[in-house]
Amino acid sequence: MTRIDGIIILDSNGKPLITSHFSTHPPTYASLHIDAFNTARQRSSSLGKELDPVLWVNTLSRSGGGMSGAGLCHLEREGLYFLVPVGQEVNPLFAFSFLDSFLDTLQDYLGEITETTIKDNFDIVYMLIEEMLDEGHPMTMETNMLKEIVLPPSLVRKILNAAGVSGLQTHTTTPFTAPIPWRRSGVRHSTNEIYFDIEESLDAIVDRRGNVLSSSIWGRVNCNSRLSGNPDLLLNFANPKVMDNCAFHPCVRYNKWTKDGVLSFIPPDGKFKLLEYQAVAGSSKNQVPVALKASLAVEENGGRFSLTLSSRTNARPLEDLAISIFLGKGTTSVSATATGDRKPLSHGLGGHGVKEDGVGEGHVGGGTWEFDPHTQVLKWSLSSLVSTERAPTLTGSFTSTEKQPIPSPSFDISFNMQHHSFSNLRVDQLKVQGDVMYKPFKGVRQMSRAGKIEVRW
Amino acid sequence: MAMAPPRKGENWELRQQLNSEYRDKRADAIKRVIANHTIGKDCSGLFPDVVKNMQTEDLEQKKLVYLYLMNYAKTQPELVILAVNTFVKDTADPNPLVRALAIRTMSVLRAEKILDYLASPLSKCLKDENPYVRKTAALCVAKVFDLKPELCVEYGFIETLRDLIGDGNPMVVANAVAALADIHEASLNLPPSPPSSPGGSSSPPPSARPSSSLFIIDQPTLTKLLVALNECSEWGRIAILSTLARYKAVDEKESEHICERVVPQFQHVNAAVVLGAVKVIMIHIKNVTREDLLKSLTRKMAPPLVTLISSPPEVQWVALRNINLLLQKRPDILANEMRVFFCKYNDPPYVKVEQLEIMVRLANEKNVDTLLGELKEYASEVDVDFVRKAVRAVGQVAIKIDEAAERCVSVLMDLIETRVSYVVQEAVIVIKDIFRKYPHSYEGIIPALCSNLEELDEPEAKASLIWIIGEYAEKIENADELLGTFLDTFKEESYPVQLQTLTAIVKLFLKKPDESQGIVQKVLQAATKDCDSPDVRDRAYIYWRLLSSDPAAAKSVVLSVRPPISLPQTTVAPAILEELISEVSSLASVYHKPAATFIGKGRLGAEEMHRRTLDAEEDVSREKALQTVVAGNQAENLLDFDADDEPAPTNGGSSSRGLVSDGVISSQAIASVAKSTNPLDELMDLFSTASMTAPSTQPIAPPSISAGVTGLTGSTSAASSDPFASLSGLSSPPTGNGHGIQSPPAYQPQQQQKQTSGGGASDDLLGLF
C-alpha cells in the first residue's frame, strides 16, 4: 500500500546510471520502464509537449502470464531523470515525496547532483538507496540518522581509501536509540546557535491595466539549528495571525500551536524546514511591489516593444530584477536601448551595439538586456530599483523569420527584497528550555522574492 | 533470463582481484562488481568469488557484498547456502547495524533454503533491544510471508508484529503497520487452499474474495494507531493513514473520532501525508451526520489542497487531479477560490489543462465575468491544445450559467474575429452546443458564422456549422447555396460531414420544399450511390423512404424539438465517482478510473486486457479509453451524449414493441465497436455512450432476436460512430406516435434508427441486398 517498486536514475540521454531495488521483479522490469519512459519522452518532445508526471507502463506480471501495469512517476533534476515505478495502488505523491527527500539527501551527501558526482560515488548512492528503501518501504529517511549509517564522502575518507586504510567506521554502535526520531542523541556543538530564515515568495498575475488578478504569498521558515543536547524551543511570533494554512515539520507540537499560536518544538540538528504557510490575503499585502508598463506590438516579421518599470514600495530596494519574455519562434535578433538614472554599475556604462550574429547585449543606466537566440527569450536585468529614481525603460524592436511572430502573452518578473517580508511576519522571541544550560546565539533573517509573477501586455 | 556472454576479460580480471590476498584490492573489486551491476551488466558469474568476501570487519564492504547477494541469490540458489553460516553469525553481532543488515538480507534472498535458517534469528530480532533492528525485522516478516506464509503462522510472527504496533519507538510502529498492511494484501491474494504463488502486489476489492484477513484492526489497535499517527515520521504516517482508510468504523462516534484525530495531519509539510489524510476523511465522513462537524471538516479540507498548488508541478498536477475529483463530489469546498487556479503562461500544459477544468467547475454567476476574461486571454496563447480547451470552456460556461450565455457568445464572436484557424473552428463547434441549449436565442450571429465557411477544414467544425445551417435553414436566405458547396465536395468529405450534410439538406427541404427539391435529390443520390460508408447510405435510405412515403412523419422526425443539453456535473459516472472518492490520493484518482481496471492481474476479462494493450499504444487513446471504462460522458463533447437521455432507453425498451431485443443491440454495438479498428475518433466517445446504455437496457429487454437483424449492424454502428446521429435520432418526439409512421415510441437514437430500418425500410434494404 505504501510501497514503491524501486528507483531508477537516468542520465540526460536516457541511459541508466543507477537502477536499484528490482531484485524481486522480473529482470526486465526496470528496462521496460526505462524504455517506456524514453519512448514517451521522445514522442512528447517531438510534439513539443511535456509529459504527464505519472505515466502508465505495461509490464509483465510478477507471477508470470498476463499483462500487468505500473504507474511511473518521474521528475527531472539537473538534467537527470529520476523514475519511480509504482506497481500498486499507491498515492503518487508518496513516490514524489520520497524522490524529493531522496534528492535532498543526495544533495546533502554529494554537494551537487550531477552525472559525474553520482558516477564517482555510486557506492554511496547505492548504499543510501538501500538504507532509505527496504523493498519499497521507506526505511531511514532522516539525514541526521542516515549519516550515522552511511558515511558521507569526504576528502579524508578518500585519502584513507587511497592509502588502503579501510574499516575505519566512526559511527556510534547504537543507532536509533534516541527517543526523538528526528534528532540523534548526544549532539554537541562548541558554539550553540540557531538561525531562522523567513522566506516569502509572491505569485501573481497582473493584467494589462495593472490590476492584480490573482496573487498569493507563500512563506516558509527554514531553520538551521546547531544546538547541543536536547533543547526544547518555544518560538513566538509577534503576529501569528498573518499565517494561514500552515504546514509544520513533525517536530512542532500542533496542539500548542492551535491553542496558543506559538511553535513549541525540539529541533532536528542541522538545516530543516520548520513550517510553510500561506500569508492571509490582505488588501495591501498582495500588492505587487513593482509596476511594469509594457506595450508590445507585433508587426510583419518582427515587432517593437516599450517597457517602463517602477517600484511601488518604499520599504526596501528591489534587487536583482529581471524581466523576461519569450518572443516567439523564429525570432532572430533584438535591438533595444535601456534608459534610466545613471548609476555606477559593475558592468560599466554605455551600450554595446548588436553583434553580427544577432546576439544582443547592452549595458546602460537602465540595466542590461540580453537576447538568447536559442531560447528566444529577451531578458532585461537591473541590479536594483528604488521608488525614488526615474523609472527605467527599455524600448526596442525585434525581427523574426516568422511572418506573424507570436510572443508569449506575458512578461515574467523576478526580484529579491532582502530584509523584508511581504506578510510582515515577525519573530517576537525564542525561549530555550529543556535540559540545556547555555544561552544560544539566535538569528532571524527575512527574505522576500518574486515567485511566479506574470504581467500581461 | 538470457545470460549475455560475459566479457571474458573484465570478469576474469575481477575474479582475480576478488581472490586477491590484499584487502584493498578485494574491496575495490567488489565496488567494481556493484558498479557493473548498477548499470545493468550481468555479474552472476562472480557469485562464489564475491561470497568469499562476506566475512569482513569492514561494514561498508559487507554492505556491498550483501547488496550483491540480494541481487544474485536468485540466480545461484545452490550456492547461497554457502553464505548461511555467516548470515546466522551476523544476526548475533554486537553491532546492531550488522544484525539488521544480516536479517534483512536473508529475508530478501528469496531462497527457500535460507528461510529455514531465518526463522529463529528473526524472532530474536523482532524483540531486539535496538529499535533499528526491530524496525528492520518488522518489514522482514512481510517478506517472509510473501514467500512462505505458513512459516509466519508457525512462529507467530504476525502476533509479534501486532504487538509491535504498541512499541515505544514510532518508527518501529510505522514499519509494523506497513508490514501488516502488506501481509493483509498478500493474504487476500492467496489462493484459497494451497498457497503456491503469492502475488502480493495487487489488491482485489474485498468483496471479490472474502478472505481470512490477517490484519484485522480492532479497537485497541485503532487506538494505538491513532496515537502513533502523531508521533511517527511522515512515512509512518502515510502507512498508518492508508491503513485507517481501510478500517470500517463500528459506529458514527468512532468515525467522528477518527476524523478529529486525522484532521491535524492536514497541517503536515509532506504533501503525501496531506492527501492521505484527505482520503481518510473522505471515507469516514460518510458516517458523520453531525451538521457542525460535517461543515467544519469540509471547510478544513480545502485549504491544504490549495496549498499544494504552490508545490512543484508534478505534485501540483496530482493535487489538481484530486481536487477535480473532490469537486465533483463536494462542489462547495472551494467556491471562493477560483482565482488560485488561474493559469500562468509558463505553467506546464498538463497543469494548465487541469486548472481550466477546475475553473469551469467553480464558475458561478458572481465570478463568471472574471473567468470569461481569463478564458479569452488563454485563447490567444500559442499552445493549440490549450487554446482549444479554453474555447471549449467558454462554451461550457455558457451552458452551465444561463445568465452568462450572452456574454459567452460575445466572447466567442470576438474570438472568431481573430481569424486564427483553430480558434475559429473550435468556436464554431462550441457555438453549436450553445444553439442546442438556447435554441433561437442567438440567431443574429449566424451570418458571421457562415462567413467563415471556407476557413473550416476540420470535420467536426464543418459538421457543426452544417448542423447550424440545417437547423436555421428557414432563416438563412442562401442556405441552399451554402449547403450546395458541401454537396459539391460530398465524396471527399469525411463521414461525419457527409452525414451532417445529408441531414441538413433534408431539413432544408422540409422547411423550404419549393426551392430545394433539386438539392435533396442530389444528396440522396450521392449518399446512396457514391458513398462507401454504410452509415451514410443507410441514413439516406431512411430519409428517402420517409420523405417519399409520409412527409409529415418525416417532418416530425427530423424537425422535432430536442431536449436541451446541460453540462454534466461529473466527468465520471456517479457510481464510479463514489468509488474514486474512496481512492482519493491514489493512482486511481490520478487516472480517474477505478483501481480494479488497471491494477491487479487475472481479474480482468479478455476484452479489458485487449483494451489496455491498445491503451499503451497511444496516450490519447488511453485517455479516451479511460473514459470508456468509466462510461462517463465527456463534458467537452456535449452533443455526443445527453445526461437527460440516459434513463430513456429503459423506458423505450419497456414500452417498445419488442420487435428487436434492445439488449442484444446494445451489446452488439459494444462488441462491434470494441472490435472495430475504425480509426474515427468519435467512435471512442460514442462507445462510452453505448456501453453506458447497455447495462440499463439488458435486464428489461425481451431476449428475442428478429427480422431487424439485416439492417441492424449497420444502423447501430451508424449511431455510434457519428455524434450527430443522436441529433437527428433525437428528433423523434413522444408525439410521433400520433402519426402513422412505423417508428415506435423510442427515445434513443440507436433504437429509433434501427426500428425504422428494421420495420419501415426493410423492404428497401432487402431489395438492395
Side-chain angles (χ1 to χ4, degrees):
Chain A
M1 276 217 221
T2 50
R3 186 158 133 175
I4 58 180
D5 289 350
I7 187 165
I8 303 169
I9 306 178
L10 301 182
D11 68 8
S12 47
N13 297 321
K15 286 227 177 65
L17 287 174
I18 281 187
T19 62
S20 174
H21 250 78
F22 296 101
S23 57
T24 57
H25 292 277
T28 50
Y29 191 77
S31 12
L32 268 176
H33 281 275
I34 295 170
D35 283 352
F37 174 74
N38 282 330
T39 324
R41 190 166 58 96
Q42 272 154 19
R43 195 170 54 208
S44 73
S45 74
S46 70
L47 293 169
K49 286 189 179 154
E50 284 183 62
L51 279 180
D52 281 357
V54 183
L55 300 176
W56 180 253
V57 179
N58 280 325
T59 56
L60 287 170
S61 80
R62 222 165 92 187
S63 45
M67 295 290 280
S68 176
L72 178 62
C73 304
H74 61 93
L75 58 80
E76 193 207 326
R77 187 75 71 87
E78 317 283 346
L80 302 175
Y81 300 96
F82 297 82
L83 320 185
V84 172
V86 281
Q88 280 180 291
E89 178 59 345
V90 168
N91 182 346
L93 283 186
F94 168 68
F96 286 122
S97 298
F98 173 80
L99 263 181
D100 210 43
S101 42
F102 172 68
L103 288 171
D104 283 351
T105 311
L106 216 53
Q107 182 119 29
D108 206 56
Y109 267 79
L110 304 180
E112 52 175 352
I113 306 171
T114 63
E115 201 177 319
T116 334
T117 54
I118 288 183
K119 273 190 175 154
D120 287 352
N121 298 297
F122 77 91
D123 50 335
I124 304 238
V125 178
Y126 212 146
M127 281 193 281
L128 269 180
I129 297 177
E130 286 300 324
E131 199 51 53
M132 295 175 86
L133 272 185
D134 184 1
E135 289 228 330
H137 291 288
M139 263 283 272
T140 312
M141 302 298 291
E142 286 76 14
T143 322
N144 264 322
M145 301 210 163
L146 278 170
K147 287 202 172 150
E148 290 181 7
I149 305 169
V150 180
L151 294 186
S154 65
L155 194 61
V156 180
R157 231 162 62 94
K158 274 208 180 116
I159 294 167
L160 285 177
N161 279 346
V165 187
S166 59
L168 278 182
Q169 296 280 325
T170 49
H171 59 75
T172 52
T173 48
T174 53
F176 305 109
T177 39
I180 309 152
W182 54 83
R183 191 175 177 89
R184 64 194 159 94
S185 54
V187 182
R188 297 211 147 271
H189 291 286
S190 49
T191 53
N192 288 297
E193 41 193 21
I194 183 160
Y195 299 100
F196 296 95
D197 285 352
I198 302 177
E199 290 178 13
E200 291 188 347
S201 76
L202 172 68
D203 286 357
I205 303 176
V206 181
D207 74 359
R208 50 180 67 78
R209 285 186 298 279
N211 302 324
V212 180
L213 287 179
S214 89
S215 73
S216 36
I217 296 166
W218 308 100
R220 65 164 59 170
V221 178
N222 288 327
C223 183
N224 189 358
S225 152
R226 304 175 59 76
L227 302 174
S228 312
N230 280 337
D232 200 333
L233 306 179
L234 199 66
L235 183 66
N236 274 296
F237 290 102
N239 45 354
K241 290 247 155 59
V242 302
M243 290 187 287
D244 204 2
N245 301 340
C246 298
F248 301 104
H249 188 276
C251 69
V252 175
R253 298 186 182 101
Y254 180 67
N255 286 341
K256 199 116 181 162
W257 165 258
T258 43
K259 221 166 65 204
D260 309 328
V262 294
L263 294 182
S264 155
F265 58 100
I266 299 175
D269 196 45
K271 291 180 187 162
F272 66 101
K273 186 163 71 182
L274 180 63
L275 91 148
E276 284 181 320
Y277 60 89
Q278 186 184 6
V280 173
S283 51
S284 61
K285 281 176 204 144
N286 291 22
Q287 198 68 48
V288 180
V290 58
L292 175 71
K293 253 194 171 159
S295 69
L296 196 153
V298 176
E299 296 160 359
E300 205 162 297
N301 291 327
R304 47 186 70 250
F305 53 86
S306 151
L307 315 176
T308 312
L309 200 63
S310 52
S311 168
R312 271 191 188 162
T313 172
N314 298 321
R316 284 274 161 193
L318 299 160
E319 288 169 29
D320 303 328
L321 276 122
I323 286 87
S324 53
I325 185 170
F326 167 68
L327 285 172
K329 263 188 226 147
T331 308
T332 47
S333 70
V334 172
S335 71
T337 20
T339 62
D341 274 350
R342 298 205 160 233
K343 35 186 180 179
L345 285 170
S346 53
H347 301 291
L349 299 173
H352 291 272
V354 179
K355 288 177 197 160
E356 303 95 328
D357 57 358
V359 184
E361 200 181 337
H363 303 287
V364 262
T368 64
W369 62 268
E370 58 181 334
F371 172 68
D372 183 339
H374 299 295
T375 54
Q376 276 111 8
V377 169
L378 170 70
K379 187 171 168 190
W380 180 27
S381 332
L382 297 105
S383 58
S384 78
L385 180 72
V386 291
S387 55
T388 48
E389 72 180 86
R390 184 160 67 92
T393 63
L394 182 76
T395 50
S397 60
F398 63 95
T399 57
S400 171
T401 52
E402 298 274 313
K403 195 153 177 241
Q404 274 286 330
I406 310 175
S408 142
S410 61
F411 291 88
D412 291 319
I413 300 187
S414 65
F415 58 81
N416 289 322
M417 289 172 87
Q418 300 287 345
H419 313 295
H420 176 76
S421 91
F422 294 122
S423 68
N424 215 9
L425 177 72
R426 285 192 315 275
V427 171
D428 190 29
Q429 59 164 334
L430 176 74
K431 275 191 221 151
V432 182
Q433 301 158 325
D435 58 340
V436 289
M437 300 304 289
Y438 51 81
K439 240 184 135 47
F441 179 81
K442 296 168 264 190
V444 177
R445 193 172 57 174
Q446 292 177 324
M447 242 275 281
S448 286
R449 57 184 183 82
K452 288 187 263 175
I453 300 186
E454 74 172 42
V455 179
R456 294 179 181 154
W457 50 269
Chain B
M1 173 162 145
M3 225 187 290
R7 283 199 275 156
K8 285 234 159 69
E10 195 182 359
N11 270 2
W12 179 81
E13 203 179 288
L14 280 171
R15 183 164 295 143
Q16 295 299 310
Q17 284 193 14
L18 285 167
N19 291 315
S20 161
E21 54 189 306
Y22 302 106
R23 194 160 70 175
D24 56 319
K25 259 198 171 167
R26 294 200 303 265
D28 196 49
I30 292 169
K31 272 195 191 177
R32 276 177 55 200
V33 172
I34 298 288
N36 282 348
H37 164 69
T38 45
I39 52 171
K41 283 188 197 160
D42 181 29
C43 309
S44 55
L46 296 166
F47 196 86
D49 308 281
V50 177
V51 171
K52 277 183 202 153
N53 286 287
M54 255 177 95
Q55 278 201 359
T56 166
E57 292 303 304
D58 184 348
L59 185 59
E60 201 148 300
Q61 187 182 329
K62 192 177 260 285
K63 270 189 199 171
L64 291 177
V65 173
Y66 277 19
L67 263 183
Y68 177 90
L69 284 175
M70 287 185 202
N71 285 300
Y72 289 105
K74 250 195 303 188
T75 63
Q76 314 267 351
E78 302 81 28
L79 291 174
V80 172
I81 216 74
L82 290 176
V84 163
N85 269 337
T86 319
F87 277 135
V88 175
K89 212 174 100 209
D90 280 353
T91 56
D93 195 275
N95 185 342
L97 286 179
V98 176
R99 292 203 295 275
L101 185 63
I103 199 88
R104 177 176 162 193
T105 313
M106 277 176 94
S107 66
V108 179
L109 290 183
R110 304 199 163 263
E112 290 256 348
K113 283 179 192 153
I114 292 273
L115 283 179
D116 300 332
Y117 295 91
L118 176 63
S120 80
L122 179 56
S123 53
K124 240 190 292 166
C125 284
L126 280 168
K127 293 175 180 129
D128 199 283
E129 48 164 28
N130 188 296
Y132 179 70
V133 179
R134 285 205 302 277
K135 80 167 186 178
T136 312
L139 283 183
C140 290
V141 177
K143 291 175 237 170
V144 174
F145 185 87
D146 208 16
L147 294 173
K148 213 172 177 185
E150 57 275 20
L151 197 73
C152 290
V153 180
E154 189 183 323
Y155 281 82
F157 287 151
I158 293 160
E159 284 74 50
T160 320
L161 270 188
R162 232 176 271 154
D163 293 343
L164 283 182
I165 295 183
D167 196 278
N169 186 303
M171 283 191 290
V172 178
V173 179
N175 280 12
V177 171
L180 281 170
D182 271 8
I183 290 173
H184 174 77
E185 258 171 54
S187 72
L188 293 179
N189 277 352
L190 283 179
S193 39
S196 54
S197 67
S201 72
S202 77
S203 54
S207 57
R209 189 184 292 163
S211 89
S212 55
S213 155
L214 283 165
F215 181 24
I216 304 149
I217 314 168
D218 45 14
Q219 271 159 322
T221 318
L222 178 71
T223 320
K224 281 184 200 163
L225 285 178
L226 288 175
V227 168
L229 185 59
N230 279 325
E231 287 165 8
C232 269
S233 71
E234 45 209 307
W235 313 102
R237 291 181 199 217
I238 296 169
I240 294 179
L241 285 170
S242 63
T243 304
L244 286 177
R246 204 160 54 74
Y247 177 69
K248 297 217 171 17
V250 287
D251 55 15
E252 185 181 343
K253 199 132 178 268
E254 198 170 61
S255 288
E256 282 178 13
H257 182 60
I258 294 174
C259 287
E260 273 160 7
R261 295 301 291 263
V262 168
V263 160
Q265 303 306 320
F266 285 162
Q267 248 64 41
H268 202 282
V269 198
N270 189 317
V273 176
V274 173
L275 213 51
V278 170
K279 175 180 179 167
V280 175
I281 301 281
M282 280 312 273
I283 286 172
H284 288 286
I285 204 173
K286 282 184 213 149
N287 303 327
V288 176
T289 48
R290 236 171 66 207
E291 204 49 44
D292 55 329
L293 182 65
L294 210 60
K295 224 178 221 164
S296 103
L297 286 177
T298 323
R299 206 188 58 234
K300 281 182 182 150
M301 197 139 40
L305 289 173
V306 174
T307 353
L308 294 184
I309 294 171
S310 68
S311 316
E314 56 278 350
V315 176
Q316 205 180 343
W317 182 72
V318 176
L320 287 169
R321 289 293 284 177
N322 278 290
I323 290 175
N324 198 341
L325 204 59
L326 290 173
L327 280 178
Q328 300 187 20
K329 176 79 184 164
R330 300 191 177 272
D332 47 335
I333 52 172
L334 290 168
N336 298 319
E337 302 271 7
M338 192 179 71
R339 281 167 186 271
V340 181
F341 299 99
F342 281 6
C343 305
K344 295 198 177 66
Y345 177 73
N346 286 328
D347 285 338
Y350 52 81
V351 166
K352 290 206 275 196
V353 169
E354 290 303 318
Q355 287 177 329
L356 203 58
E357 265 192 42
I358 293 174
M359 278 158 65
V360 173
R361 266 182 210 297
L362 294 176
N364 57 34
E365 282 129 69
K366 266 179 257 157
N367 58 24
V368 69
D369 281 326
T370 335
L371 174 60
L372 284 177
E374 276 300 294
L375 292 176
K376 207 171 152 186
E377 208 62 62
Y378 303 155
S380 66
E381 284 191 12
V382 201
D383 177 356
V384 177
D385 278 350
F386 181 63
V387 169
R388 281 175 167 273
K389 293 219 160 79
V391 177
R392 288 223 158 165
V394 176
Q396 288 166 5
V397 172
I399 288 160
K400 186 176 174 192
I401 306 168
D402 294 3
E403 292 80 3
E406 194 168 339
R407 276 165 281 169
C408 294
V409 170
S410 86
V411 167
L412 287 170
M413 292 317 288
D414 289 350
L415 290 176
I416 286 178
E417 262 163 41
T418 62
R419 303 234 152 221
V420 180
S421 168
Y422 51 85
V423 176
V424 173
Q425 313 220 26
E426 198 64 40
V428 169
I429 297 170
V430 164
I431 286 176
K432 163 213 66 183
D433 289 342
I434 296 181
F435 274 129
R436 282 209 61 195
K437 165 90 196 229
Y438 310 102
H440 306 290
S441 298
Y442 304 104
E443 286 155 15
I445 64 171
I446 291 175
L449 291 180
C450 293
S451 66
N452 286 295
L453 200 64
E454 59 279 3
E455 278 174 46
L456 306 181
D457 53 13
E458 291 163 24
E460 200 186 351
K462 271 189 191 178
S464 298
L465 188 59
I466 298 172
W467 179 82
I468 294 172
I469 296 174
E471 266 310 278
Y472 296 91
E474 72 276 20
K475 308 264 169 64
I476 306 169
E477 265 177 37
N478 58 346
D480 51 341
E481 224 172 273
L482 294 172
L483 292 173
T485 56
F486 287 104
L487 186 54
D488 293 341
T489 53
F490 191 77
K491 267 195 273 181
E492 289 92 63
E493 301 288 359
S494 62
Y495 299 142
V497 179
Q498 290 185 348
L499 284 169
Q500 217 42 50
T501 311
L502 174 63
T503 307
I505 291 180
V506 171
K507 283 181 190 165
L508 172 72
F509 172 70
L510 291 169
K511 288 176 175 175
K512 298 195 233 170
D514 307 335
E515 300 155 37
S516 41
Q517 187 90 42
I519 192 170
V520 83
Q521 279 294 342
K522 241 191 268 169
V523 78
L524 291 174
Q525 285 284 351
T528 47
K529 293 247 163 64
D530 302 336
C531 183
D532 51 1
S533 156
D535 305 353
V536 179
R537 194 191 53 210
D538 288 0
R539 196 192 287 189
Y541 273 123
I542 296 163
Y543 283 147
W544 206 332
R545 173 83 182 178
L546 266 175
L547 290 175
S548 55
S549 60
D550 186 352
K555 219 168 192 164
S556 68
V557 168
V558 180
L559 298 181
S560 73
V561 183
R562 275 159 303 280
I565 52 173
S566 65
L567 198 64
Q569 286 285 307
T570 57
T571 52
V572 296
I576 286 158
L577 178 63
E578 211 48 53
E579 191 177 340
L580 286 178
I581 286 290
S582 52
E583 282 172 14
V584 154
S585 87
S586 58
L587 270 184
S589 67
V590 168
Y591 289 121
H592 284 197
K593 64 182 186 182
T597 57
F598 63 94
I599 296 268
K601 308 159 280 238
R603 289 178 298 105
L604 300 171
E607 198 184 328
E608 205 95 10
M609 285 297 186
H610 175 65
R611 198 181 297 146
R612 285 206 344 244
T613 329
L614 288 176
D615 293 353
E617 286 166 14
E618 196 69 59
D619 266 349
V620 188
S621 76
R622 186 204 69 191
E623 269 296 322
K624 293 236 156 113
L626 183 158
Q627 285 153 350
T628 309
V629 171
V630 299
N633 49 0
Q634 233 176 335
E636 299 157 356
N637 233 337
L638 291 163
L639 267 186
D640 287 2
F641 180 76
D642 283 350
D644 305 359
D645 294 345
E646 208 181 316
T650 328
N651 308 338
S654 54
S655 66
S656 85
R657 283 180 285 167
L659 252 183
V660 180
S661 154
D662 303 302
V664 173
I665 294 284
S666 299
S667 52
Q668 277 204 358
I670 293 165
S672 73
V673 175
K675 282 174 202 139
S676 164
T677 48
N678 195 332
L680 285 178
D681 262 13
E682 287 84 351
L683 198 140
M684 290 302 253
D685 288 342
L686 251 292
F687 181 21
S688 63
T689 319
S691 57
M692 181 78 153
T693 59
S696 60
T697 334
Q698 256 161 345
I700 299 149
S704 66
I705 303 167
S706 78
V709 170
T710 339
L712 195 139
T713 328
S715 56
T716 29
S717 64
S720 43
S721 66
D722 168 30
F724 295 96
S726 52
L727 278 180
S728 49
L730 281 169
S731 311
S732 162
T735 53
N737 298 330
H739 298 272
I741 53 163
Q742 313 265 10
S743 162
Y747 305 90
Q748 181 67 10
Q750 281 101 320
Q751 287 175 4
Q752 209 262 311
Q753 292 200 355
K754 160 202 74 201
Q755 299 284 18
T756 324
S757 63
S762 63
D763 334 3
D764 284 4
L765 288 171
L766 290 172
L768 189 88
F769 291 129

